Amino acid sequence: MNDDATATCTGEPKRAALGLATIDAQRRLARDGANELPMAQRRGVLARVAAVLAELMFLLLGTAAALYVVLGDIGEALVLVASVAVVIGITLQQSNKSEKALDALRDLSAPQASVLRDGERVRIDARRLVVGDVLVLDEGDRVPADARLLAATQLGVDESLLTGEALPAAKHADADGDDGAPTRANHVYRGTLVVRGHGLAEVVATGARTAVGRIGTSLVHTATPRSPLQREIDRAVIAFAAIGLALCALVAGLYATLRGGWIDALLAGVTLAIANVPEEFPVVLTVFLALGAWRLAREQVLTRRMPAIETLGAITVLCVDKTGTLTENRMRVAALRCGESAWDLASGAPIGAAFDDLLARAALACRVDPTDPMERAIVEASPPADAHERVLVREYALTPALFARTQVWRTPSGLIGACSGAPEAVAELCRLAPERRARMLAEVAALGREGLRVIAIGALAHPAGEPLPERQEQLVFAQAGLVAFVDPLRAGVADAVAEARAAGVEVIMLTGDFADTAEAIARQAGIDIGDGALGGAALAACDDVQLAGTLARRRVFARVTPEHKLRLVQALRARGGIVAMTGDGVNDAPALKAADVGIAMGRRGTDVAREAAALVLLDDDFVSIVRGIRRGRAIHDNIVRAMRYILAVHVPIMGMALLPLLGGGPLVLWPIHIVFLELVIDPACALVFEREAAAADVMRRPPRDPRRAVIGLRLLAGSIGDGALAFAACAFVYALARAQGCSDAEVAAAAFVALVASNVGLIALNRGRGLWRTRNHAFWFVVAGACGALALSLALPALARFFRFAVPPAGILGLAGTLPLALLAFVLAVRLRVDRLASARTTPP
């Protein structure tokens, strides 16, 4: 944008139009620092290590190490401490990985600002703003820094963040005080929201020096509420920890009573407590959600609120806008109607001179440097005009009551202007006679049936010399004609709609466009139009009961306002739907917040829409939404797999910690053995299951019920059953080794080999079909690492002494390594067979 154009657009002299030079802005940025508010200081390595050591499992391991010192077994204590250090290292690595993923998301979601640099309008990272930058403010923008207005057109700003006042504050560039000092009325403040109008403003403060920054950093230390799944896992960990501590006391008492020796009794009790605490649950949730959000971002879906990932796979209704989401939002003038003259792009003929006046009038209703796709198409198609000769003197904004906007310009020859908008609204402004109105709307309907988006243009015919009225409806217009645009369907939308419908997700189109156009695009996209499109006026006339019936028969709603969107979302939720809603405008925020998952447009969306949403669509493409649903379902499936595995794997561990006490045999597990198993369990949870690909049928099954607990009775029963089977195999190996006269060290080694094999088998069992269908290199790394470490603990005498192992007879050793795997492989084969039979029964021929 050049300086003349900026001055023309805003009615402001050229002195403010150029903005800063880039080199000057860079110097100021180096001097003043980034435009950022104080952030919570990231915990250092020592603080994170301390937080890890404060967890119950590590407290128990520390207790065990202290008991070994009391026993005089310094070597055992040192090995235990070294093993704990390895577990801490793995935990810190997982934490770093999560933080890096979240850092990447923060970079993607960094706020943007529209500024003038070197005389051109550019969009930059708001953190690079400096004092002296000239902001370009438009409706829907979040103000990125404190600034003084240089120009303003009907500017209203929501300052409730600072003042608590619900009504927008009117802003004026010339609102200095009586003494010439700046006032609140000619300033805008960081974090406030432009709700109407537009303007230019010069930045006067950034970062901590803004009004918001001076208020304090209390928000930095405000804790984020935990999600329902996080609270459920918290309760589960507390419950299992309580059970573990109770068993610890029971086992210690039993050991001391039956065998004597309180120190060994405490060690046995601590071992069982460690075996029972599923401390992996919080790790799984943190890692899976953080990395899941990172993977979603790679698929052009930015997660602003982590709980949205939990809900994404449960969506039953997806409400989408047409323009820019289903279509490319790349408008081109496709048809013109002016009086008896008609032109169509399909004819191949160029636009004739007969339409020059219509296009010139249409251009008067556009901004000089438009960003709206339809306005850009009009400016590109209209004859060249000297924009320097006109100055904008009045703009009448579109309102929910009147879908039209008007711009009035002053030229050397007088006032000129035009209105553009919905044909019925422009017909009202032009006060068309009934027969002319009916003829025009018939033309609109015919164009709409071809899938074109149609607007009407009215030429200003206001009497010369009379002042401009306050309301648009009081102006005088003459009909100019119709302009129709083609906005092709995005590639892949039809397939994505079909995939969503196969997944049990009902797709509903909400658009402000004409009903015939909406139906044409819906048919192309494969959306079920049911009884046809319902207009906003008819929607408003429905009561709640009628609306519920309407939603059962219609999937396309045209001429809807943001208020209609909110009502539809509420009605859909009232009938039990889990609703995702897309939006991009300021007034879409209530509907986005009301939906279970609000999805804002990243490119054309306003800041307030993005802040109200749980997800941001970086490419504004419907296909990305469906990919996000697929990813959300896969993430939830993997969380469930990991939870099921964690619960199952603790059963044989607890069983083998308790069995020798009750049966009078040699103890198998001591704290060092639990640490060894943790070195298998943690990578399995954080690496293997997180990397599992989506199941082949993930988008062919109905959405899950989000009200159903993840750790429910079915999961508990299944996990305990799998774990019990693994324990039975371990117990059989233990009993057989004792019956064969093996030494205590050989019995312990055989039982521990069976435990490790059970662990590997349970990982494979919970991977399910993914064991053969998808490549997961992490699984084989974990298996190889576990088997290699186990072989070393048997083969190296020094390690064998620490583990209290001796190599058992070959037959016992082979049975220990294969029996648990064989039993669990049989269970997996049965389950896959049952799944195939169930799938065959539900798949239509």
Side-chain angles (χ1 to χ4, degrees):
M1 178 189 290
N2 58 38
D3 55 335
D4 291 329
T6 306
T8 301
C9 181
T10 63
E12 182 66 17
K14 299 178 186 178
R15 64 176 178 83
L18 286 175
L20 290 177
T22 299
I23 190 168
D24 189 22
Q26 290 172 345
R27 282 197 296 265
R28 296 187 186 197
L29 182 63
R31 180 193 68 193
D32 299 334
N35 176 35
E36 294 178 317
L37 294 178
M39 295 179 63
Q41 188 174 6
R42 179 170 290 179
R43 293 185 304 171
V45 174
L46 291 178
R48 281 186 284 165
V49 169
V52 172
L53 290 174
E55 293 181 7
L56 178 61
M57 188 192 78
F58 292 103
L59 292 175
L60 292 170
L61 288 171
T63 302
L67 290 172
Y68 279 125
V69 172
V70 171
L71 288 172
D73 196 343
I74 303 299
E76 190 87 18
L78 289 177
V79 170
L80 191 60
V81 170
S83 303
V84 170
V86 174
V87 176
I88 290 174
I90 292 174
T91 304
L92 291 179
Q93 190 270 341
Q94 292 167 350
S95 173
N96 285 333
K97 197 170 186 179
S98 299
E99 287 189 353
K100 286 179 181 178
L102 293 174
D103 284 343
L105 295 180
R106 288 191 198 100
D107 290 339
L108 284 172
S109 61
Q112 299 287 300
S114 186
V115 300
L116 299 178
R117 289 272 177 93
D118 301 317
E120 297 291 332
R121 178 174 176 172
V122 295
R123 198 159 180 84
I124 65 170
D125 185 336
R127 293 174 296 191
R128 293 169 49 208
L129 282 176
V130 296
V131 172
D133 263 325
V134 176
L135 299 172
V136 182
L137 300 174
D138 284 306
E139 182 178 315
D141 286 349
R142 183 70 68 179
V143 179
D146 290 3
R148 181 171 180 171
L149 288 167
L150 303 173
T153 301
Q154 297 183 335
L155 191 65
V157 179
D158 177 0
E159 295 186 337
S160 57
L161 174 72
L162 292 173
T163 66
E165 296 176 1
L167 294 176
K171 299 290 181 176
H172 308 280
D174 55 355
D176 288 330
D178 294 337
D179 57 356
T183 66
R184 194 172 193 88
N186 63 14
H187 275 68
V188 290
Y189 299 93
R190 179 185 178 123
T192 59
L193 175 69
V194 179
V195 294
R196 65 170 181 266
H198 51 87
L200 294 178
E202 182 179 354
V203 174
V204 296
T206 60
R209 293 172 291 278
T210 61
V212 171
R214 291 193 301 269
I215 288 172
T217 58
S218 59
L219 289 178
V220 172
H221 305 290
T222 301
T224 303
R226 296 180 72 74
S227 71
L229 182 54
Q230 287 173 320
R231 292 195 296 270
E232 182 183 346
I233 286 176
D234 289 343
R235 290 192 295 268
V237 171
I238 291 171
F240 282 108
I243 294 170
L245 292 174
L247 286 174
C248 174
L250 176 63
V251 167
L254 280 174
Y255 190 103
T257 301
L258 298 175
R259 303 191 182 195
W262 276 103
I263 299 297
D264 283 345
L266 286 173
L267 277 172
V270 167
T271 300
L272 187 58
I274 296 171
N276 190 65
V277 177
E279 78 289 338
E280 303 89 359
F281 278 174
V283 174
V284 163
L285 192 59
T286 302
V287 172
F288 279 42
L289 292 185
L291 293 182
W294 176 72
R295 295 184 192 282
L296 281 172
R298 294 175 66 188
E299 296 178 354
Q300 302 299 305
V301 180
L302 175 64
T303 305
R304 297 193 71 253
R305 296 180 180 86
M306 290 297 178
I309 297 177
E310 302 170 29
T311 313
L312 201 54
I315 291 170
T316 60
V317 182
L318 179 55
C319 298
V320 295
D321 189 22
K322 175 182 73 67
T323 305
T325 307
L326 296 176
T327 62
E328 292 182 359
N329 200 21
R330 182 178 53 82
M331 295 292 187
R332 185 177 179 186
V333 174
L336 298 170
R337 300 291 185 267
C338 183
E340 300 301 320
S341 302
W343 172 85
D344 292 280
L345 178 66
S347 67
I351 300 175
F355 300 98
D356 284 353
D357 183 65
L358 169 60
L359 289 171
R361 296 291 182 179
L364 289 175
C366 302
R367 295 188 178 172
V368 172
D369 188 20
T371 56
D372 179 84
M374 287 196 298
E375 290 190 1
R376 291 176 65 179
I378 288 172
V379 171
E380 290 171 3
S382 62
D386 190 355
H388 296 248
E389 293 187 357
R390 67 177 193 254
V391 176
L392 182 67
V393 294
R394 191 65 180 268
E395 178 180 345
Y396 297 88
L398 179 148
T399 66
L402 189 67
F403 274 64
R405 62 188 294 266
T406 299
Q407 291 192 152
V408 181
W409 306 81
R410 179 178 291 111
T411 68
S413 59
L415 293 180
I416 61 172
C419 67
S420 67
E424 57 268 33
V426 174
E428 182 180 334
L429 288 174
C430 294
R431 299 171 178 81
L432 295 185
E435 61 276 8
R436 288 188 63 193
R437 178 189 178 97
R439 194 161 58 247
M440 182 187 79
L441 294 181
E443 284 276 12
V444 171
L447 292 169
R449 284 192 291 272
E450 298 175 19
L452 304 182
R453 186 169 186 177
V454 187
I455 64 170
I457 305 297
L460 182 68
H462 195 68
E466 288 193 13
L468 293 173
E470 288 298 316
R471 297 174 58 216
Q472 177 172 208
E473 295 92 322
Q474 296 169 323
L475 290 168
V476 179
F477 293 93
Q479 184 188 17
L482 302 175
V483 182
F485 307 85
V486 62
D487 183 13
L489 201 69
R490 283 182 181 267
V493 162
D495 291 339
V497 169
E499 185 177 11
R501 293 179 65 180
V505 179
E506 185 180 0
V507 181
I508 294 179
M509 179 198 289
L510 310 178
T511 178
D513 214 337
F514 197 72
D516 287 338
T517 305
E519 286 187 16
I521 294 296
R523 288 192 185 92
Q524 293 176 35
I527 297 174
D528 178 16
I529 63 171
D531 290 349
L534 184 70
L539 175 62
C542 292
D543 59 27
D544 291 344
V545 175
Q546 292 170 326
L547 181 58
T550 297
L551 287 170
R553 304 188 308 274
R554 298 181 189 267
R555 303 292 180 273
V556 181
F557 296 87
R559 284 290 187 261
V560 295
T561 66
E563 291 76 15
H564 294 148
K565 292 181 181 180
L566 175 60
R567 189 180 177 205
L568 284 167
V569 167
Q570 291 170 335
L572 288 165
R573 294 193 69 202
R575 69 171 191 170
I578 307 301
V579 182
M581 167 76 195
T582 68
D584 57 8
V586 176
N587 293 330
D588 287 336
L592 292 173
K593 282 189 174 182
D596 295 281
V597 179
I599 305 172
M601 300 297 106
R603 290 183 178 176
R604 72 177 191 276
T606 58
D607 288 346
V608 70
R610 287 191 287 268
E611 289 184 13
L615 303 174
V616 177
L617 214 57
L618 298 177
D619 59 1
D620 295 3
D621 191 348
F622 176 81
V623 176
S624 296
I625 302 177
V626 178
R627 283 200 301 262
I629 294 173
R630 168 186 282 272
R631 174 64 64 183
R633 290 189 175 193
I635 290 169
H636 184 269
D637 284 355
N638 289 342
I639 289 175
V640 171
R641 286 189 183 103
M643 299 296 180
R644 196 165 52 211
Y645 162 73
I646 291 168
L647 289 170
V649 80
H650 281 82
V651 173
I653 295 174
M654 283 192 298
M656 292 311 297
L658 193 58
L659 178 63
L661 293 174
L662 300 177
L667 294 183
V668 174
L669 297 177
W670 297 93
I672 187 65
H673 302 107
I674 302 298
V675 172
F676 182 102
L677 292 171
E678 286 297 327
L679 292 175
V680 178
I681 295 171
D682 282 355
C685 297
L687 300 177
V688 177
F689 291 113
E690 195 281 327
R691 282 169 171 74
E692 278 298 301
D697 65 342
V698 71
M699 293 297 281
R700 294 199 299 270
R701 37 170 134 121
R704 66 178 179 84
D705 183 357
R707 293 175 288 271
R708 190 175 63 207
V710 173
I711 308 176
L713 289 177
R714 183 175 179 181
L715 185 142
L716 276 171
S719 299
I720 292 172
D722 293 342
L725 189 63
F727 168 64
C730 295
F732 180 80
V733 170
Y734 178 84
L736 182 63
R738 289 189 66 195
Q740 294 291 325
C742 295
S743 67
D744 288 357
E746 290 173 338
V747 171
F752 192 74
V753 169
L755 261 179
V756 174
S758 297
N759 204 325
V760 171
L762 287 170
I763 298 172
L765 179 61
N766 284 286
R767 285 192 65 200
R769 294 182 183 180
L771 185 61
W772 294 286
R773 188 175 54 81
T774 61
R775 292 182 179 179
N776 190 333
H777 299 300
F779 171 70
W780 298 109
F781 285 140
V782 169
V783 171
C787 293
L790 181 61
L792 290 175
S793 70
L794 291 172
L796 297 179
L799 280 179
R801 282 196 302 273
F802 276 121
F803 280 93
R804 297 181 173 88
F805 286 164
V807 180
I812 297 293
L813 185 61
L815 184 67
T818 56
L819 180 61
L821 292 175
L823 285 176
L824 294 171
F826 175 75
V827 173
L828 178 58
V830 171
R831 285 183 183 173
L832 293 178
R833 175 63 177 167
V834 171
D835 287 347
R836 280 194 293 269
L837 291 175
S839 178
R841 284 196 298 269
T842 57
T843 302

